[in-house]
Amino acid sequence: MEKRQELYAGKAKSVFTTDDPDLMVLEFRDDTSAFDGKKMEQLDRKGMVNNKFNAFIMQKLADAGIPTHFVKLVSDNESVVKRLEMMPVECVVRNIAAGSLVRRLGVEEGMELTPPTFELFLKNDALGDPMVNESLVETFGWAKPDQLARAKELTFKVNEVLKKMFADAGMLLVDYKLEFGIFNGEVVLGDEFSPDGCRVWDKETREKMDKDRFRQGLGGVIEAYEEVGRRLGIQF
Ligand code: UDP
């Protein structure tokens, strides 16, 4: 398989076509952004750490029967993935209140959410990724109702697998964001799963081990990502 031209450069990853129309190369860069790209920095080793972290998690999810776009690691900061037709929505599940939920509803950070919540956001930086719902997704044709229902079902299935995996390694999976797409008519998990797109706290101290360290200027960002990975058994 041969890497060809750059198709798209996002805030932290670039996507390349290959000689196979069904496959793409995802390049994980060291770029780190927050607040819709208003805060940007390069963090040494981040591309490599997130690439390997994502490969490990995607493999675990595939083992649990969740269809993912991940095919294989091809270098320290590149992976081959299936080319999906992406739904322009983000699916967020929360086990513990944090971030925008706390700001929006005025609830206390750290409150346990039972049952876990499910939220949808439109991927649109210019609009600041506004919150949407199932009705809006259907009306505007961002996904078909059955596809969205499947994405929601898979998002909760991911929670069952990962909540336990993180808990067994002494961590709390607070919340996370997933993106889905369609491959041969099937709803498939796309994008990435890394500490850039989830919140992880130490189970005992509740210390933040995810991108909130970058958002809040706490330092030790990549060291924390690597510690999360190390506890899960990832070799960087
Ligand atoms: N998230 C993300 N990309 C986004 C927005 C959110 O990966 O564009 C992740 C974020 O890291 C967190 C979860 O989704 O794990 C919920 O984010 P929240 O709605 O609390 O927004 P934030 O506080 O990050 O603005």
Side-chain angles (χ1 to χ4, degrees), residues 11 35-36 90-94 98-104 119 121-123 125 128-129 174-179 191-192 194-200 210-212 215:
K11 292 191 285 287
F35 312 118
D36 294 322
E90 301 183 333
C91 297
V92 171
V93 159
R94 300 177 197 268
S100 74
L101 184 82
V102 167
R103 296 195 293 274
R104 197 175 340 116
E119 291 156 51
F121 297 90
L122 178 67
K123 274 180 74 73
D125 279 342
D129 290 353
V174 172
D175 58 30
Y176 57 90
K177 181 268 297 177
L178 302 179
E179 295 180 27
D191 192 49
E192 69 178 285
S194 74
D196 267 3
C198 66
R199 287 193 170 92
V200 179
D210 54 70
K211 198 158 108 178
D212 271 348
R215 293 189 189 97

Side-chain angles (χ1 to χ4, degrees), residues 83-87 180-183:
R83 185 171 185 167
L84 312 183
E85 178 95 40
M86 295 304 290
M87 302 178 185
F180 293 88
I182 310 296
F183 187 80

Side-chain angles (χ1 to χ4, degrees), residues 94-96 111-117 163:
R94 300 177 197 268
N95 296 305
I96 296 174
M111 177 190 172
E112 196 180 323
L113 301 169
T114 316
T117 60
K163 210 167 114 173

